[in-house]
Amino acid sequence: MPKHGDTNSQEGTPATNQEIYDLTKSLSEKLKAQKMSTEIVIAEAGQINFLYENVNSENRDNQIDYFFGKTKTNISKFSNVKSVIFRSQLFYNVAN
């Protein structure tokens, strides 16, 4: 998937980590209320170092720590979220 800002493609998202967290939380709660077994897999980083580094001030980086670290935005507390994050054709299991 092309990184955010690539004007030559329709792919990608400008969503921030906080927006991804908010959507994941809301979707998780709605699926749980409906007693659905659907599992959620989040985000694809625009580039590999967005997974593990603070790259800029746009809040689209350091995703492994943001979503799976010892933070208030850890999404593994939601029972229907898979502990993986995708990067292109690869995925990383970030389960503790």
Side-chain angles (χ1 to χ4, degrees), residues 43-54:
E44 175 183 272
Q47 53 193 63
I48 193 75
N49 61 328
F50 279 31
L51 292 173
Y52 57 85
E53 287 181 345
N54 288 314

Side-chain angles (χ1 to χ4, degrees), residues 44 48 51 85-92:
E44 175 183 272
I48 193 75
L51 292 173
I85 191 165
F86 283 87
R87 168 62 183 123
S88 296
Q89 287 75 32
L90 304 173
F91 75 93
Y92 302 89

Side-chain angles (χ1 to χ4, degrees), residues 21-64:
Y21 173 82
D22 292 342
L23 177 64
T24 302
K25 180 179 184 229
S26 177
L27 178 60
S28 176
E29 291 168 351
K30 291 179 191 302
L31 292 171
K32 190 172 181 178
Q34 295 294 318
K35 298 181 177 21
M36 298 180 74
S37 61
T38 302
E39 293 182 311
I40 301 169
V41 175
I42 62 142
E44 175 183 272
Q47 53 193 63
I48 193 75
N49 61 328
F50 279 31
L51 292 173
Y52 57 85
E53 287 181 345
N54 288 314
V55 177
N56 56 41
S57 61
E58 295 179 354
N59 192 23
R60 295 183 179 95
D61 52 6
N62 203 26
Q63 292 180 333
I64 291 173

